[in-house]
Structures are given as C-alpha cells and as structure tokens.
Amino acid sequence: QLSVVGIILTIIYPFTKRYTNMPQMFLGTVWSWSIPMAYAAQTGTVPVEAWWLFAANWCWTVAYDTMYAMVDRDDDLKIGVKSTAIVFGENDRRIIGFLQLMVLAILWTVGDILAFGWPYQLSIVIAAALFSYQQILIINREREACFNAFLHNHWVGLVIFAGIMIEYLPV
C-alpha cells in the first residue's frame, strides 16, 4: 500500500514546478516516503521513529533543494518555474537554517528513542558544523556558492551514516 502511494507521488512530482509554488516540499515528501516503506518492508510496521526520520529527511530535502533552487532563481523567474527560493525571497537563508536546525533536533530525538550513544551524537554535532558551513556559503546568495552548498550535503549524509553504522558495529 505504501509503495502505491510512492508511485503516485513520483508520477506527480515533475508537474509540481508548474502548478505549485513549493515543489521542493513535494520533493521532500517523495524522497522521504521511502523511509516508512523500508520500515514496513523490513518489520511489517511503521514505528514512530520512522515518521520522525521521515520528518527529518523532509526538512533536509527542502533545505538542500532550496539551495539548489537559489542557483536557478533568476532563470526560473524568467521562464515561470516556481520554487521555494522564489517564495521564501529574502528569508531563504533563515528558513533553510530553521529547516537544518529541525533536522538536527529530530535526528537527535531519534537517537534518544533508539538509545544511540556518543558516536551518533558526535555525528549530529559534526552535521551541525557542516550545516553552519553551508550557511556561510549561501550568505551572499551567489550562484556558484549556493550550488557548492547544495553539493556539500553529501558530507552531511556521510557523517550521519557513519554515526549510525558505528552504533551497529559489534562490540
């Protein structure tokens, strides 16, 4: 049942840039939907931490894809493509920062729910530093710097992934 919803979301997404002002929010839903699907496939249930992870991933996706949209903002305005970078306007950096803080808070909460220890917590602290660096990159809204901030998110994912993997290493 969850995969049917996932397919529908995936089919709808390409049209959102034409019909909604916030396609990044829809993309966040599409990307994040795999989390409850994976939990359901593996455990037959979708526990509360899956929905927290969905929320964290949604916030993260909206944040990084808004950075990407900042790169194309001028062109998008000319051709009529809609984005959060346009809607957020001068508040884009603040909203991205808020979303990044939400990612960190939610991931910290999930770590508490799962009783993860200091390696995972350290990965969240490092992710906070990486998010701070991204904020520095986008401060002047320069296209290349915004694109670099967008690309920089692979390091955030790697650090969080490493924190989780260390938690599951045999002692």
Side-chain angles (χ1 to χ4, degrees):
Q1 293 169 338
L2 291 172
S3 63
V4 171
V5 173
I7 289 170
I8 292 168
L9 291 171
T10 302
I11 291 169
I12 293 171
Y13 169 68
F15 302 101
T16 61
K17 288 187 175 195
R18 300 277 182 231
Y19 301 107
T20 133
N21 289 324
M22 298 191 202
Q24 288 74 19
M25 293 186 178
F26 198 86
L27 178 66
T29 303
V30 174
W31 275 178
S32 303
W33 196 253
S34 61
I35 295 168
M37 284 177 37
Y39 269 87
Q42 289 299 307
T43 67
T45 184
V46 183
V48 69
E49 67 265 16
W51 294 111
W52 280 115
L53 289 170
F54 175 93
N57 198 67
W58 183 88
C59 290
W60 187 21
T61 303
V62 174
Y64 70 67
D65 204 45
T66 299
M67 290 177 206
Y68 186 73
M70 289 168 73
V71 174
D72 296 331
R73 184 182 353 229
D74 295 337
D75 296 333
D76 289 349
L77 284 166
K78 288 177 189 171
I79 63 173
V81 172
K82 301 171 182 176
S83 75
T84 50
I86 294 168
V87 172
F88 295 165
E90 291 295 313
N91 293 310
D92 52 4
R93 295 177 322 199
R94 280 186 209 93
I95 294 171
I96 289 169
F98 173 76
L99 291 167
Q100 290 172 324
L101 287 172
M102 291 303 299
V103 170
L104 298 169
I106 294 168
L107 289 177
W108 192 277
T109 300
V110 170
D112 282 347
I113 291 169
L114 298 174
F116 284 172
W118 71 266
Y120 176 78
Q121 293 166 347
L122 178 61
S123 76
I124 301 303
V125 171
I126 295 169
L130 295 171
F131 281 157
S132 296
Y133 176 66
Q134 291 173 11
Q135 285 293 318
I136 292 167
L137 287 174
I138 66 172
I139 199 159
N140 294 320
R141 298 181 179 92
E142 295 168 354
R143 290 176 85 138
E144 188 173 332
C146 291
F147 186 65
N148 287 334
F150 163 75
L151 292 175
H152 189 259
N153 279 281
H154 73 278
W155 294 111
V156 175
L158 177 65
V159 165
I160 294 168
F161 176 74
I164 293 168
M165 291 307 297
I166 291 169
E167 290 293 333
Y168 286 107
L169 288 176
V171 180

